[in-house]
Amino acid sequence: MIRTTAIAVMLACASSTAWADPPRDQLLALVSAELPGYVAGVDAASLSRTQLAAIYSIMHSDNSGGDKTAMIRSVLGGRLSLRGLFLK
């Protein structure tokens, strides 16, 4: 799982000049449609483009549903992640 998380973070942080990035609006629409299936109550419009790209990448990975949910919560941070539980 650590390896997969590292790959997701690297993909999310990659330079925009390396790939032809889809516009933020397109990413927002794609993530908004699927995000409630993983984490409820998150306003995708409040997320950064980097977070949207990372979440989209995670959603379409070969990981199990539980692993995807855990990685998405990590990208979201705050109270939705393990960091949020330990760093209140």
Side-chain angles (χ1 to χ4, degrees), residues 21-62:
D21 292 329
R24 185 183 187 282
D25 294 341
Q26 183 180 8
L27 269 175
L28 178 59
L30 293 169
V31 170
S32 294
E34 294 182 55
L35 189 58
Y38 295 98
V39 181
V42 175
D43 178 20
S46 68
L47 301 176
S48 70
R49 189 186 182 300
T50 302
Q51 287 174 306
L52 291 171
I55 291 170
Y56 181 80
S57 176
I58 292 166
M59 287 177 175
H60 297 279
S61 68
D62 291 336

